[in-house]
Amino acid sequence: MLGREKVLDIVRRAVEYSDADQTQAAVEIGESSLTRFANSMIHQNVSERNGGLAVKAIVGKRIGYAVTNKLDDDSIRAVVEKAVSFARNSGENPDFVSLPKPKPILEAETWDQRTADYSPEDRASAVGGLIDEGKARGASAAGLLNNAYAENAIVNSLGIEAYSADTVARMQTVMTAGDGFGYADRISRRIGDFDTVEAGIEAADRSVRAQNPDAIEPGEYDVILLPYATGDLLEYLSYLGFGALAVQEGRSFMKLGEKVVGDNITIWDDALDPRGIPVAFDPEGVPKQRVDLIVNGVANALVYDSLTAHKEGRESTGHSTGGLGTYGPMAANMFMQPGESSLDEMIAATKYGVLVTRFHYTNVIHPTQVLITGMTRDGTFLIENGRITKPLKNMRFTDSVLRILSNTDMISRDLVRQSCTVVPAIRAKGFRFSGTTEF
Amino acid sequence: MTVTGGHKPLRDLTEKALDKVRSLGASYGDIRIVEQREEAIEVKNGKVEGLSSESDYGFGIRVIADGAWGFASSLDVSPEEIERVAEMAVRIAKASASIEHEPVELAPVEPAEGKFAFGLKTDPFEVPVEDKIGILLDADRIMRETPDIGIAEGSMNFWRFDTVFASTEGSYIEQTKTESGAGIAATAIKEGEVQRRSYPGSFGGDFSASGYEFIEAMDLVAHAERVAKEARMLLDAPQCPSDVRTLILEGSMLALQVHESCGHPIELDRVFGTESAYAGTSFLTPEKLGNFRYGSDIVNIVADATCPGGLGSFFYDDEGVPAQRVRIIDEGMFVGYLTSRETAPRIGQDHSGGAMRADGWNRIPLIRMTNINLEPGDWTLDEMIKDTQKGLYGEMVGSWSIDDKRLNFQFATEIAWDIDGGSLGQVYKNPTYTGITYEFWGGCDAIADEDEWRLWGVPNCGKGQPGQTAHVGHGVAPSRFRNVRIGVMDEPPGEVESAEEEEGI
């Protein structure tokens, strides 16, 4: 690690070297290591030390942007010069008002020394333990174990100075037992928060239960979505509609004050909540604010970066996506309000339905309807008379996330942390499966 | 193409790295030093939203020690850091080997030495940005002259890759490649309906391993008005009906069809399960090689890394294996995979097909598509339409999804026209089609000829963990498919609630 002052020095110098009207410099420096396994062996095992300095220069309403991963003084001067030169030669962006001004930044729990220090031998040992549990159950393991740290600093010519040191650890596994597949993943700022072997057991047990799947006809079914799948639905809401730019351009489903999903659905974004992946500030150096996106089914508020906020005469909520932000701000620390059921109670209350572990290769068909399609994967089961009775072959679904969340009648009381979301399992009525596959 | 002995300071660094990994007990090692430069321009609704430059430099060392892989990389291209990273790569390999494994064995490759560069007429990095912005703003202005165009946008992207590859087996290869791409899109928005048209393809347009001459030949401005008018027309078009019909696909949509339903399932690493936790595996398992009917007997597909202008073209892959042209589908039969030095011997081949590429210095090479090309047939698109009594003609990619063995797919085109009695008629919005890969290709009964064959560039193929993005190519001509299910979930049964009520799927 370079430490706070050395990292801040890079971006302070970049801003100092600029003769643009306004300048923002952001740097990220860190290491990421990832052990990947398949067929119960480590087959890829990598580590990288990387960094990047991004300079945004503003001349009038013209914006230039340049990035380099060379961090010596000559390269810093060169990247600033490039950004300023681009700003002078670019066209105007009339929507630009100003870079953000400084605001107090709250502390977030982002660092864990053990995660930063986790070694190749530590990763191999943890992966070996997971593989052994799979083998003991007759399952072959694939997946990854990743640990990383990064130092981030942002300075702009209006006085913003922000620094953070972050760690992240994640694991993911797909176990294969014959023609059965099972999945589990974990993510946290602290590697000690999860047990790789326990996740392996979850996936292996699921793969064993998923063997010899039957096919059912496409159609409407009541479904129970495990949190792995619920998280995907929220990510599409964010991607397609929670950002202010999507609303300003008329491509969002969010009509503020109108009911968009069921009364029992409340979704907010809170990057400071340690139950998620905490982040103190966004890539513009603006402190993260909690935003209550959907309250009791009603579209309530949007997330903003400085460009979209200034267009409406308001302040950024700290949801810039960095770079030039041409896609607009995004909510990436979302929470869904838990319900009162356990997963077992949801299964017991289902007369005939399908339990979905996770989705695969989902994609948008219609943005304002949040109509998406995708496949089920790694553990799909039939529920009959309140019991899981048999595994199912995977199915394609084509349905609107708004419709699914309007038809959700049970929500689990336990929330599970995913990469961008903290979400429950849900039960939705009349979920639309549109096709089948052969496995 | 020229041949030299290599840049001396870099050669000193590569030799230092290779000496170090040998001394630490690695049985194989290679190092890649990569410098990448990118320029991107984005224009939206009369504004220059993005004008950016990115440069990236570093090296990665890949080794086999104790029969297992290790890889480490760094942005600091210095003798001291090369020493540290070489040690880390070997340490990581030994950690990989600490759990039960099968020793890695590589197919042999002849060591190569030389310096190679693709030719180009006009260096895109030398063209003034004002000229590039001017073209995009002109197209943008024309698109916004059409009512209801809520978003007019255009973009250009340029890349240059300078790569040095050296291995403990004696290869030292320098390669330079430049790529250019551009596109425009108009999104019509009215009363909750959103419809988009693009040119020359969707999601950024088209891309080629060429210079700025590729952009000039597109003539973006000349297509702006049509693109906007078609987007607006879609707002009031009826929903694509749900039916089983003959489907004719235009080239850029067919390029994606080839990519998803042929390119990915022939990646031999997927077949052997090494992507199973992420992208998935493949239905094209090894026992099918040479005796599985993938498509009709007019379907011929090659993986060709030698195509001029292909994003998937190179002189040597990132294992130092020379570029090749490999037959994949021969008269409908599945006959070949994309392979690497590690995977080729496992299907009894004595050499790699040369498909290993890495997304930069900080990633290991994986099996990636080269240019996966559907060979031309002997029809024209006009003849195909005239020869179709009841069908659908779809243009450009709307969305895509396919299962993790690459069997069940569902794609959407931006626009479709009804074909009735051999002529194009009614325009439909939200067209979708779905099928099972080998059934779909089995229904292919017409492919346009070489005059309509075009090599498309796809710069956003994702694979691997940590994630890697590959630039790949697909040469195709418009083609016809029989008995395809179109219009998925046109009128879903049951009560429609919430936002769908007003928008009506």
Side-chain angles (χ1 to χ4, degrees):
Chain A
M1 277 186 70
L2 292 179
R4 180 188 183 93
E5 282 311 307
K6 282 187 178 170
V7 177
L8 274 169
D9 176 61
I10 294 169
V11 275
R12 283 177 187 142
R13 270 186 287 153
V15 172
E16 184 191 318
Y17 296 157
S18 170
D19 61 355
D21 296 342
Q22 293 188 0
T23 305
Q24 172 186 292
V27 68
E28 181 176 72
I29 304 169
E31 289 192 34
S32 180
S33 301
L34 188 147
T35 297
R36 207 170 181 213
F37 49 100
N39 303 312
S40 297
M41 293 181 287
I42 294 173
H43 67 104
Q44 291 167 10
N45 205 347
V46 302
S47 179
E48 70 172 300
R49 178 177 287 179
N50 201 358
L53 168 63
V55 176
K56 188 189 280 187
I58 289 96
V59 176
K61 286 182 177 290
R62 299 167 191 261
I63 303 169
Y65 186 75
V67 182
T68 183
N69 74 338
K70 294 179 185 170
L71 301 176
D72 59 278
D73 201 60
D74 286 348
S75 299
I76 295 172
R77 286 181 188 275
V79 76
V80 170
E81 194 178 314
K82 186 77 185 174
V84 174
S85 148
F86 267 16
R88 294 198 196 289
N89 291 299
S90 184
E92 288 203 340
N93 184 342
D95 291 343
F96 181 83
V97 176
S98 171
L99 290 173
K101 297 188 173 104
K103 290 170 83 173
I105 293 171
L106 298 174
E107 286 290 314
E109 296 173 30
T110 60
W111 183 261
D112 174 57
Q113 193 62 42
R114 185 177 166 223
T115 302
D117 293 340
Y118 209 66
S119 70
E121 293 79 14
D122 292 333
R123 291 194 304 279
S125 172
V127 165
L130 174 149
I131 286 171
D132 287 346
E133 291 294 341
K135 283 180 179 170
R137 289 162 174 78
S140 170
L144 67 83
L145 179 57
N146 170 220
N147 63 295
Y149 76 82
E151 294 176 273
N152 291 281
I154 296 153
V155 164
N156 78 15
S157 54
L158 302 183
I160 281 182
E161 275 213 4
Y163 168 87
S164 76
D166 311 330
T167 54
V168 70
R170 67 191 173 110
M171 64 80 54
Q172 188 183 63
T173 186
V174 171
M175 290 276 185
T176 306
D179 58 0
F181 304 92
Y183 178 80
D185 70 32
R186 305 286 186 267
I187 187 166
S188 175
R189 291 266 181 225
R190 295 165 299 277
I191 198 150
D193 276 359
F194 59 77
D195 180 342
T196 305
V197 170
E198 176 267 333
I201 292 170
E202 176 194 328
D205 285 347
R206 187 171 285 129
S207 72
V208 170
R209 291 199 307 271
Q211 292 178 96
N212 304 313
D214 276 351
I216 57 171
E217 288 297 311
E220 292 198 5
Y221 292 85
D222 294 351
V223 290
I224 294 173
L225 305 181
L226 294 190
Y228 303 126
T230 312
D232 269 11
L233 302 186
L234 265 64
E235 286 183 31
Y236 273 101
L237 293 179
S238 173
Y239 171 62
L240 294 172
F242 286 155
L245 186 64
V247 174
Q248 289 170 359
E249 292 183 343
R251 56 182 165 83
S252 170
F253 63 91
M254 287 285 277
K255 295 179 175 60
L256 296 184
E258 291 186 15
K259 189 159 174 295
V260 290
V261 290
D263 296 341
N264 55 348
I265 305 296
T266 292
I267 298 167
W268 66 94
D269 189 88
D270 186 359
L272 295 175
D273 190 327
R275 291 177 297 170
I277 305 293
V279 182
F281 54 88
D282 77 356
E284 293 187 303
V286 175
K288 286 281 189 182
Q289 285 179 25
R290 174 177 165 139
V291 177
D292 292 303
L293 300 158
I294 292 177
V295 177
N296 299 329
V298 175
N300 182 68
L302 307 170
V303 297
Y304 289 84
D305 57 11
S306 65
L307 194 73
T308 52
H310 292 154
K311 197 173 176 182
E312 295 181 21
R314 52 198 300 161
E315 292 193 339
S316 167
T317 57
H319 289 84
S320 164
T321 50
L324 283 159
T326 47
Y327 192 78
M330 296 263 282
N333 301 84
M334 290 172 286
F335 289 74
M336 183 167 162
Q337 185 168 287
E340 296 170 348
S341 307
S342 69
L343 180 60
D344 286 343
E345 288 164 355
M346 291 161 74
I347 294 168
T350 302
K351 191 164 187 323
Y352 191 77
V354 176
L355 184 144
V356 174
T357 297
R358 68 186 286 223
F359 295 133
H360 172 79
Y361 218 139
T362 45
N363 210 332
V364 182
I365 294 180
H366 197 288
T368 52
Q369 296 167 1
V370 200
L371 181 67
I372 63 174
T373 186
M375 299 295 300
T376 67
R377 190 178 165 181
D378 300 329
T380 306
F381 299 92
L382 185 67
I383 302 168
E384 294 174 288
N385 299 317
R387 289 179 51 247
I388 291 177
T389 52
K390 57 186 172 189
L392 294 175
K393 289 184 178 177
N394 289 305
M395 287 187 285
R396 172 169 297 287
F397 73 96
T398 303
D399 209 339
S400 156
V401 177
L402 302 177
R403 183 178 172 279
I404 296 164
L405 293 179
S406 296
N407 292 342
T408 295
D409 65 347
M410 295 182 85
I411 301 174
S412 74
R413 54 179 166 261
D414 294 329
L415 299 180
V416 174
R417 180 196 287 130
Q418 301 283 281
S419 58
C420 300
T421 60
V422 180
V423 285
I426 62 173
R427 186 179 78 166
K429 311 288 277 185
F431 183 90
R432 290 172 177 160
F433 287 110
S434 56
T436 58
T437 190
E438 296 179 357
F439 59 96
Chain B
M1 183 179 86
T2 55
V3 179
T4 69
H7 190 250
K8 186 71 168 64
L10 288 185
R11 191 141 195 169
D12 288 347
L13 292 174
T14 62
E15 284 174 4
K16 184 178 185 64
L18 299 174
D19 287 346
K20 185 71 183 178
V21 301
R22 275 192 207 99
S23 73
L24 294 169
S27 58
Y28 171 83
D30 61 40
I31 175 170
R32 284 178 305 108
I33 303 175
V34 182
E35 179 143 33
Q36 182 176 330
R37 181 178 174 190
E38 181 180 358
E39 184 180 295
I41 304 169
E42 290 180 59
V43 163
K44 190 196 276 185
N45 290 348
K47 302 169 289 191
V48 178
E49 287 220 324
L51 174 56
S52 65
S53 160
E54 187 159 351
S55 68
D56 186 54
Y57 186 50
F59 69 97
I61 297 174
R62 186 178 74 141
V63 302
I64 300 173
D66 295 348
W69 287 114
F71 175 85
S73 60
S74 174
L75 75 171
D76 178 7
V77 186
S78 67
E80 302 75 29
E81 184 70 348
I82 279 189
E83 187 122 333
R84 182 192 73 81
V85 170
E87 285 174 9
M88 178 58 82
V90 174
R91 179 181 168 190
I92 288 173
K94 289 181 175 176
S96 304
S98 68
I99 67 170
E100 193 176 329
H101 65 287
E102 290 168 14
V104 177
E105 290 181 15
L106 301 179
V109 62
E110 196 69 30
E113 187 157 338
K115 185 170 182 174
F116 308 88
F118 287 92
L120 69 161
K121 285 185 187 153
T122 307
D123 183 348
F125 293 97
E126 296 299 323
V127 176
V129 291
E130 303 93 297
D131 294 359
K132 300 165 184 167
I133 289 170
I135 291 172
L136 294 175
L137 284 176
D138 281 350
D140 178 287
R141 176 180 46 76
I142 293 168
M143 287 191 283
R144 282 182 295 117
E145 285 169 1
T146 296
D148 299 325
I149 297 304
I151 305 173
E153 52 197 330
S155 60
M156 291 189 192
N157 294 81
F158 307 97
W159 291 273
R160 175 157 300 141
F161 307 93
D162 289 295
T163 306
V164 174
F165 170 87
S167 75
T168 52
E169 296 172 342
S171 284
Y172 187 90
I173 301 163
E174 293 182 54
Q175 297 185 81
T176 297
K177 187 176 181 185
T178 302
E179 297 174 353
S180 303
I184 56 171
T187 304
I189 302 172
K190 190 174 74 175
E191 295 166 5
E193 184 58 271
V194 179
Q195 292 293 331
R196 187 184 60 202
R197 283 292 279 146
S198 310
Y199 171 82
S202 46
F203 299 97
D206 192 16
F207 302 81
S208 175
S210 305
Y212 194 69
E213 64 276 6
F214 182 72
I215 308 298
E216 290 173 319
M218 285 182 182
D219 202 354
L220 295 173
V221 175
H223 290 81
E225 183 180 357
R226 175 188 58 81
V227 163
K229 289 199 158 136
E230 286 184 359
R232 187 187 188 215
M233 179 171 66
L234 282 168
L235 289 174
D236 298 318
Q239 172 74 22
C240 178
S242 187
D243 199 357
V244 174
R245 282 206 195 168
T246 295
L247 176 68
I248 298 175
L249 293 178
E250 158 273 351
S252 68
M253 183 66 234
L254 192 54
L256 183 81
Q257 180 77 47
V258 168
H259 181 95
E260 300 288 6
S261 68
C262 182
H264 279 302
I266 60 170
E267 296 164 345
L268 194 52
D269 53 354
R270 284 184 72 117
V271 174
F272 287 137
T274 53
E275 294 292 325
S276 61
Y278 182 55
T281 58
S282 173
F283 74 99
L284 289 173
T285 43
E287 77 281 359
K288 293 192 172 83
L289 189 64
N291 53 40
F292 177 76
R293 178 154 287 285
Y294 175 90
S296 67
D297 58 11
I298 64 165
V299 176
N300 289 284
I301 296 177
V302 295
D304 188 355
T306 68
C307 277
L311 291 198
S313 295
F314 44 79
F315 294 94
Y316 288 86
D317 77 359
D318 287 333
E319 290 193 308
V321 175
Q324 295 163 55
R325 188 172 192 274
V326 179
R327 292 206 71 79
I328 302 296
I329 307 295
D330 208 348
E331 296 183 350
M333 298 302 289
F334 166 54
V335 296
Y337 284 113
L338 293 163
T339 61
S340 63
R341 295 185 66 189
E342 184 179 4
T343 56
R346 296 180 60 188
I347 54 166
Q349 294 185 354
D350 60 4
H351 68 282
S352 164
M356 288 286 271
R357 287 194 291 156
D359 179 12
W361 53 267
N362 55 347
R363 296 287 181 268
I364 54 166
L366 301 173
I367 293 179
R368 304 311 302 255
M369 291 175 223
T370 53
N371 304 294
I372 310 301
N373 299 338
L374 175 68
E375 294 188 331
D378 50 13
W379 291 68
T380 67
L381 176 59
D382 278 350
E383 286 169 355
M384 258 180 247
I385 292 168
K386 284 192 179 102
D387 185 61
T388 302
Q389 279 306 305
K390 191 68 187 164
L392 195 74
Y393 170 62
E395 261 191 18
M396 287 187 204
V397 179
S399 77
W400 59 97
S401 173
I402 189 163
D403 74 37
D404 56 290
K405 287 184 191 281
R406 303 274 151 177
L407 276 166
N408 176 307
F409 65 83
Q410 181 171 310
F411 298 139
T413 60
E414 281 187 350
I415 188 170
W417 285 264
D418 186 62
I419 303 173
D420 192 6
S423 316
L424 295 183
Q426 175 70 56
V427 167
Y428 294 123
K429 68 179 179 183
N430 306 327
T432 54
Y433 67 98
T434 187
I436 296 290
T437 293
Y438 60 85
E439 293 173 358
F440 180 79
W441 285 102
C444 180
D445 75 340
I447 299 173
D449 63 20
E450 58 192 14
D451 290 342
E452 296 185 41
W453 191 90
R454 172 172 172 172
L455 182 57
W456 293 86
V458 177
N460 59 343
C461 174
K463 185 175 178 180
Q465 294 171 305
Q468 300 197 36
T469 302
H471 296 198
V472 306
H474 300 294
V476 292
S479 302
R480 185 171 70 180
F481 302 85
R482 298 292 192 185
N483 300 316
V484 179
R485 188 180 162 209
I486 62 164
V488 182
M489 295 298 225
D490 167 29
E491 291 175 353
E495 195 176 333
V496 177
E497 297 185 15
S498 74
E500 284 188 352
E501 207 160 54
E502 62 184 52
E503 286 155 9
I505 298 176

